[in-house]
Amino acid sequence: MEAKVEAVMGAYNRTLDEPCCASQFLLTDILRGEWGFQGHVISDCGALSDLHNNHKVTQNAAESAALALQRGCDLGCDSVFDEIPEAIRAV
């Protein structure tokens, strides 16, 4: 069955010890890989800031932007993606 969904939103919480908005397992392996999702993934508002502020998987907003993009989050609903130029310079 095809759902014809254009966008999905990540969450604040963790699944299998990965923050959902930067989850290799959920976004890359399952959503895009296994299910073949072609649409957009957007973070919940503030969820990308959560990567460094609460989950502590990154050190700052630039690292959070880079991680989210690498894992398949296309749009951020907070100011973290303002740091994309810095994230690119750091790579």
Side-chain angles (χ1 to χ4, degrees):
M1 175 171 39
E2 190 172 317
K4 299 186 189 241
V5 173
E6 173 55 34
V8 297
M9 180 177 279
Y12 293 101
N13 62 306
R14 287 178 177 244
T15 298
L16 300 175
D17 205 35
E18 288 186 301
C20 292
C21 283
S23 173
Q24 172 76 34
F25 177 69
L26 292 177
L27 300 181
T28 305
D29 299 345
I30 301 294
L31 185 65
R32 298 209 187 268
E34 190 176 316
W35 294 353
F37 182 70
Q38 300 287 317
H40 299 91
V41 175
I42 185 168
S43 73
D44 205 337
C45 293
L48 298 184
S49 295
D50 241 11
L51 297 178
H52 57 277
N53 289 329
N54 298 308
H55 290 288
K56 308 290 187 198
V57 296
T58 57
Q59 301 230 351
N60 54 46
E63 285 185 15
S64 294
L67 181 63
L69 286 169
Q70 289 169 348
R71 299 284 172 85
C73 183
D74 303 303
L75 302 166
C77 182
D78 60 18
S79 62
V80 169
F81 273 8
D82 292 347
E83 300 298 320
I84 290 173
E86 179 63 30
I88 291 169
R89 284 191 288 273
V91 172

